Amino acid sequence: MTTAISAPPTRPVGVAAIHHALQTMPQSPGVYRMLGAKGDVLYVGKALNLKKRVTSYTHVSRLTERLRRMVSETHGMEIVTTHTEAEALLLESNYIKRMQPRYNILLRDDKSYPWIMLTDRHEFPQISKHRGKPVKGASYWGPFASAWSVNQTLNLLQRTFLLRSCSDSEMQGRTRPCLLHQIHRCSAPCTDRISREDYAGLAAQARDFLAGRNPHMREQLGREMEEAAGALEFERAAAIRDRIRGLSALQQDSSVINPSTVTDADIIAIWQIAGQSCIQVFFIRAGRNNGNRAFFPSHARDENAPDVLAAFIGQFYDDKPPPAQVLVNQDLPELDVLTAALGLRRGRKVEIIHPRRGEKRGVIEHAEINAREALERRMAESAGQARLLQGVADLFGLAEPPRRIETYDNSHIQGANAYGVMVVGGPEGFDKRAYRKFSIKGPVTPGDDFAMMREVLERRFRRALKDREEGVRPEDWPDILLIDGGAGQYTAVRGVLDELGVTGVTLVAIAKGPDRDAGREWFHTEGRAPFQLPSRDPVLYYLQRLRDEAHRFAITTHRAGRSKTLVRSELDDIPGVGPARKRALLKHFGSARSVRQAGLGELENAPGINRDMARAIYGYFHPDWTGD
């Protein structure tokens, strides 16, 4: 149950707001949210006893500087009660991942992980890569750390088990085998090159192998190959030989992981240097290594490794089922609660183990080494980035390196599908979560980029100025505005910023050089004559990268918008015609024009179109028709 604790007429702030919330705070398990001046979530926490836990925030002298600052910004609280502390931990992790409160340890991971999918209901099951929510009628194995790792495994599985990867509609429409059959990666069930029984046997073998249920499959295939060769069936023997090679490659893909040591587990290790953390995750399923990935959670510099790792694990498994075992390199706080929460998430028992010795300890040490090396590389890159930003500050006379550089560009074709974009760069490189798209709403005269830029900047800074006045999201205020253009664009944008009252932002225009050569750009900024940089200057390369990234993002945004327009048709405007009926009509008639020209009888005979719907479609295209 969610409870918003209302504020009195004169709204308290800080400790007073917490004292007010405590008046109606229950002594039960649940999750609490600290709210800022605009209702934004500052912090999310969980507790076995909400009242006891929240009371601790009123003892300000015992809090860290970070928490004291959080308490001082608190204007209200919301709570959600749960039955157990484990349920509260799951809910807390979900809230943190969705709301991204700035005082929590944050896992910034907006990616979905790929799985291998094998359909169950078709007589010739399809094997393919899948992202997103699982669908009914299919089995899944994974997750995999990256598209590369799942593609490698999928290629080897196709070579080993010869299962089709094409869609059902592609399979039905084929009259001869595709290239995958020619290169021995598909048994071509589409053209009856394999019987249903033999194909079902291959699919069963693939399921057993992916589930780790048949470790002796290679020996069985070896005997089959010898029997085929003894019967002088050399083509069959060669095909089995290729399957054995693929199976060997699959079984050897475990890298440093010994299948007898770890069969179904995630190996998670954290490493910290100078207040920064890297967490390395290895996905092990059925004794195979499904790849690894490094994560760099956002947290205060004084957070210790066990707390960061525990928060990471809760958020990491918010949208994916945990395996039977999770191996870690730290003694985690509240281990029993976290273990119970993962068990609830999985629906079965989960163990969180910190191995001290033996082969599992060796596996964890390998993950630690990967985490340390990834963090060292990131810090080296950050140091290089810091030097570049210092160079930008020196070039444009800033007192300190910029924390946020916003670059703007726009794209359209003769005024159609016009979009403006903003990309953001800073100490961590490109911040893609901060990118913004602006669909141009006003009428655009072909070639009038000034009008587009004016609309984009007005929409961007009206909101930013309001937030700045209210003290909300101060990190969203830019230090530098970089635009692609010359003196004309610079003057136009300067006028927009002055009109809006935007101050404290350095405006820079980067104009293409003679013959549009990279390296010969001219820079325009306030108080200086236009100037160029040496062609080998690293700062020049960095500013070019910012401009080129904005240009790339503008082009891809425009193309996506144009594609949506192209797939629209006049059928979309007919009441009662949704995506399914639209597909049925286009499949039957071939085009929207043919639907418009069809007679009432033809429409009534179309699949999925009943008599009333046919009359509605016909009446839409023939407004003078009376229905007789």
Side-chain angles (χ1 to χ4, degrees):
M1 181 181 71
T2 304
T3 304
I5 300 172
S6 59
T10 56
R11 194 175 187 184
V13 181
V15 175
I18 296 175
H19 275 301
H20 175 73
L22 284 169
Q23 294 174 14
T24 54
M25 189 78 63
Q27 297 187 21
S28 59
V31 174
Y32 58 92
R33 287 176 282 181
M34 305 285 200
L35 305 179
K38 289 188 65 178
D40 52 309
V41 179
L42 303 175
Y43 182 80
V44 175
K46 61 101 180 124
L48 177 62
N49 184 318
L50 282 168
K51 189 162 191 172
K52 184 177 179 181
R53 179 70 184 93
V54 173
T55 299
S56 67
Y57 290 104
T58 62
H59 305 300
V60 179
S61 60
R62 302 177 190 173
L63 302 178
T64 64
E65 176 59 33
R66 179 176 63 90
L67 292 180
R68 284 199 293 270
R69 189 165 61 250
M70 179 194 74
V71 168
S72 70
E73 296 177 18
T74 299
H75 284 68
M77 293 188 67
E78 289 181 348
I79 63 168
V80 180
T81 58
T82 60
H83 293 97
T84 65
E85 191 177 8
E87 290 179 357
L89 191 149
L90 290 175
L91 184 60
E92 175 199 38
S93 299
N94 179 266
Y95 280 170
I96 292 172
K97 198 163 185 181
R98 284 196 295 113
M99 300 174 181
Q100 300 283 294
R102 64 177 181 271
Y103 286 103
N104 280 99
I105 297 168
L106 301 179
L107 165 61
R108 301 191 182 278
D109 179 30
D110 55 357
K111 122 177 207 181
S112 62
Y113 291 83
W115 296 66
I116 286 177
M117 178 184 76
L118 187 59
T119 55
D120 296 329
R121 297 177 179 174
H122 199 281
E123 58 184 355
F124 295 108
Q126 172 202 13
I127 192 167
S128 62
K129 177 174 65 177
H130 178 81
R131 285 185 187 267
K133 293 183 179 180
V135 296
K136 292 182 179 180
S139 302
Y140 295 88
W141 291 270
F144 288 79
S146 64
W148 181 87
S149 60
V150 75
N151 287 339
Q152 288 289 101
T153 303
L154 198 56
N155 287 338
L156 290 170
L157 286 169
Q158 287 178 277
R159 195 167 75 189
T160 306
F161 299 106
L162 307 177
L163 302 180
R164 70 177 178 97
S165 58
C166 57
S167 67
D168 293 349
S169 59
E170 287 175 320
M171 178 184 172
Q172 291 171 1
R174 295 210 67 84
T175 57
R176 60 181 182 176
C178 66
L179 179 62
L180 287 176
H181 175 70
Q182 305 298 329
I183 61 176
H184 308 295
R185 290 194 179 180
C186 180
S187 53
C190 54
T191 54
D192 298 324
R193 299 295 178 98
I194 185 172
S195 68
R196 288 181 176 83
E197 294 75 16
D198 289 344
Y199 192 93
L202 293 175
Q205 286 182 353
R207 286 192 174 91
D208 287 344
F209 178 80
L210 287 167
R213 289 195 292 264
N214 196 340
H216 306 295
M217 191 179 297
R218 189 163 35 167
E219 289 80 357
Q220 294 174 6
L221 289 173
R223 287 194 293 271
E224 289 182 23
M225 182 180 67
E226 291 175 1
E227 291 172 2
L232 303 182
E233 298 176 359
F234 297 117
E235 287 189 11
R236 179 167 169 262
I240 296 173
R241 178 203 61 201
D242 291 341
R243 292 184 61 199
I244 292 173
R245 289 175 178 173
L247 194 61
S248 299
L250 277 169
Q251 291 176 330
Q252 292 170 4
D253 196 38
S254 294
S255 184
V256 298
I257 307 301
N258 184 347
S260 64
T261 304
V262 181
T263 56
D264 185 22
D266 284 343
I267 301 164
I268 306 178
I270 185 172
W271 194 269
Q272 287 190 323
I273 302 174
Q276 298 184 50
S277 301
C278 173
I279 296 175
Q280 192 77 222
V281 181
F282 282 79
F283 301 93
I284 311 300
R285 298 295 183 273
R288 292 183 305 279
N289 184 357
N290 284 355
N292 63 293
R293 187 175 173 213
F295 298 85
F296 302 91
S298 172
H299 60 80
R301 299 181 70 85
D302 58 352
E303 293 283 6
N304 61 48
D307 288 340
V308 173
L309 188 56
F312 170 87
I313 289 173
Q315 295 174 51
F316 183 68
Y317 292 113
D318 173 64
D319 57 355
K320 62 182 73 65
Q325 287 187 339
V326 178
L327 305 186
V328 297
N329 69 332
Q330 299 287 331
D331 290 325
L332 301 181
E334 300 182 311
L335 179 61
D336 292 343
V337 178
L338 185 56
T339 301
L342 295 190
L344 286 174
R345 184 73 185 85
R346 184 171 187 250
R348 284 180 287 170
K349 182 181 177 182
V350 174
E351 291 182 292
I352 301 178
I353 304 170
H354 178 194
R356 309 285 182 173
R357 61 184 67 84
E359 292 185 351
K360 287 183 179 178
R361 179 60 198 169
V363 170
I364 276 290
E365 287 176 348
H366 176 73
E368 278 185 341
I369 292 170
N370 278 267
R372 186 195 69 209
E373 292 176 347
L375 184 55
E376 288 172 348
R377 286 194 299 271
R378 182 181 177 91
M379 293 181 73
E381 291 168 1
S382 296
Q385 185 77 359
R387 287 192 294 272
L388 286 173
L389 293 175
Q390 184 60 57
V392 172
D394 295 340
L395 178 64
F396 297 116
L398 275 64
E400 57 186 22
R403 301 288 304 173
R404 183 181 176 100
I405 302 175
E406 294 183 357
T407 309
Y408 292 84
D409 200 0
N410 52 54
S411 182
H412 62 98
I413 296 179
Q414 294 296 307
N417 304 118
Y419 285 89
V421 299
M422 174 187 82
V423 304
V424 178
E428 303 300 326
F430 291 116
D431 183 3
K432 295 193 176 183
R433 293 181 304 276
Y435 286 17
R436 294 292 179 268
K437 306 172 184 177
F438 301 87
S439 176
I440 303 301
K441 299 175 181 177
V444 178
T445 303
D448 191 356
D449 289 345
F450 291 168
M452 292 180 62
M453 190 62 70
R454 167 179 286 275
E455 179 178 330
V456 168
L457 292 172
E458 285 178 349
R459 287 164 60 182
R460 161 71 179 110
F461 279 100
R462 281 207 176 98
R463 173 67 180 271
L465 286 167
K466 185 178 179 182
D467 287 345
R468 198 181 193 194
E469 289 174 4
E470 297 174 353
V472 179
R473 292 189 291 272
E475 66 277 6
D476 287 355
W477 189 260
D479 300 299
I480 293 179
L481 241 61
L482 184 65
I483 60 170
D484 186 8
Q489 284 88 344
Y490 175 87
T491 302
V493 172
R494 181 76 269 169
V496 174
L497 298 181
D498 291 343
E499 243 179 70
L500 295 172
V502 175
T503 59
V505 177
T506 299
L507 176 63
V508 179
I510 176 172
K512 297 178 179 67
D515 302 320
R516 307 178 75 83
D517 287 345
R520 302 179 65 188
E521 287 86 349
W522 286 91
F523 291 90
H524 303 261
T525 190
E526 190 172 2
R528 295 177 63 176
F531 62 92
Q532 291 178 298
L533 293 175
S535 59
R536 296 179 180 271
D537 192 328
V539 174
L540 173 61
Y541 291 151
Y542 177 62
L543 295 172
Q544 287 173 344
R545 281 179 57 211
L546 288 170
R547 177 199 60 194
D548 294 344
E549 173 67 2
H551 185 64
R552 179 203 65 79
F553 190 48
I555 291 293
T556 55
T557 301
H558 164 73
R559 285 175 178 166
R562 187 178 62 189
S563 297
K564 288 181 182 178
T565 302
L566 290 175
V567 298
R568 278 191 59 82
S569 72
E570 50 197 332
L571 301 181
D572 293 297
D573 299 323
I574 303 175
V577 175
R581 279 182 172 147
K582 177 184 173 184
R583 283 194 299 271
L585 286 167
L586 291 175
K587 185 175 181 180
H588 183 74
F589 289 101
S591 68
R593 181 180 179 183
S594 297
V595 176
R596 185 174 66 246
Q597 294 174 346
L600 183 58
E602 293 177 287
L603 291 169
E604 290 177 349
N605 291 327
I609 306 299
N610 57 33
R611 183 174 182 274
D612 291 340
M613 193 70 248
R615 292 169 69 85
I617 295 170
Y618 188 81
Y620 177 83
F621 289 118
H622 302 83
D624 297 331
W625 180 60
T626 61
D628 299 328

